[in-house]
Amino acid sequence: MDLIRPILITGASGKTGRRVVLSIANKGGMVRAFLRRPEIGSDLIQTGAAEIAIGDLTNRDSLRRAL
């Protein structure tokens, strides 16, 4: 796993997504959490996400911005 580049985690606000964010952050990785609901962002920053990207997988523009 390349821990130098940001790793985009979709579904980061879910139970599994949060665990993935925490695991990667604990290994020194930089996580960009992709969320539909901006109000969850601060929780994920506390979990270990370095960045928050707001959008929806069905919206190409928001996915491009996240990537």
Side-chain angles (χ1 to χ4, degrees):
M1 177 179 352
D2 181 0
L3 295 177
I4 296 171
R5 294 182 180 189
I7 299 168
L8 181 67
I9 304 298
T10 61
S13 64
K15 183 177 180 179
T16 302
R18 286 177 188 263
R19 289 182 180 175
V20 172
V21 169
L22 181 60
S23 177
I24 292 172
N26 284 340
K27 292 177 181 171
M30 184 177 159
V31 174
R32 180 176 297 147
F34 190 62
L35 307 170
R36 286 183 288 158
R37 298 184 348 232
E39 64 272 13
I40 305 295
S42 60
D43 291 344
L44 284 165
I45 294 292
Q46 290 178 345
T47 301
E51 300 175 358
I52 301 297
I54 305 300
D56 190 304
L57 285 175
T58 63
N59 181 301
R60 287 184 182 191
D61 290 335
S62 68
L63 187 54
R64 281 188 184 123
R65 283 191 303 272
L67 293 170

